[in-house]
């Protein structure tokens, strides 16, 4: 039986490679913290065929930022809103820069 091609997955920040336990350990949080981020709609883990949560590196970067804010005393709901606004600002700045480049 041929093996599936997996090489590209190692470089894919969106590939859901991490279980909830491994993801929590990587960011120094608890599985409950990751579930709370999902309930707050900040990150939505994909599900394995067995129904288990799986997180990508990109999602872990977001979760890590949320943990930083919560560790500083920010309520989790506020931390999620801050991260969403930071992401929107970054996207707006990127679009503005593209527009300036196109106008030149």
């Amino acid at each position: 039986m041929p093996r599936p091609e997996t090489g590209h997955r190692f470089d894919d920040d969106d590939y859901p490679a991490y279980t909830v336990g491994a993801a929590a350990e990587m960011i120094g949080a608890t599985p409950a913290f990751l579930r709370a981020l999902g309930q707050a709609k900040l990150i939505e883990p994909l599900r394995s065929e067995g129904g288990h949560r799986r997180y990508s590196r990109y999602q872990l970067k977001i979760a890590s930022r949320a943990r930083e804010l919560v560790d500083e005393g920010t309520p989790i709901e506020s931390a999620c809103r801050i991260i969403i606004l930071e992401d929107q600002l970054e996207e707006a700045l990127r679009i503005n820069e593209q527009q300036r480049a196109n106008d030149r």
Side-chain angles (χ1 to χ4, degrees):
M1 171 170 22
R3 293 177 68 179
E5 173 58 40
T6 59
H8 68 285
R9 293 180 186 167
F10 293 117
D11 296 325
D12 185 354
D13 278 347
D14 294 319
Y15 183 72
Y18 304 98
T19 63
V20 68
E25 184 177 326
M26 288 175 73
I27 66 165
T30 63
F33 179 78
L34 289 172
R35 287 191 294 274
L37 295 180
Q39 290 171 344
K41 305 287 189 227
L42 181 63
I43 56 175
E44 188 172 335
L46 294 175
R47 298 285 182 151
S48 68
E49 288 183 20
H52 300 282
R53 290 176 179 87
R54 303 291 258 177
Y55 296 87
S56 69
R57 286 192 309 230
Y58 177 73
Q59 290 172 322
L60 294 184
K61 289 176 188 174
I62 294 170
S64 180
R65 174 69 177 130
R67 184 174 180 273
E68 288 173 9
L69 291 167
V70 169
D71 286 351
E72 293 171 358
T74 306
I76 195 165
E77 297 82 13
S78 298
C80 292
R81 184 69 180 141
I82 289 168
I83 292 166
I84 290 167
L85 290 170
E86 287 174 342
D87 186 58
Q88 289 173 345
L89 175 59
E90 184 178 313
E91 179 67 9
L93 292 171
R94 186 189 63 74
I95 290 169
N96 285 342
E97 185 59 35
Q98 277 183 335
Q99 188 64 38
R100 282 188 202 108
N102 290 340
D103 289 345
R104 292 182 192 152

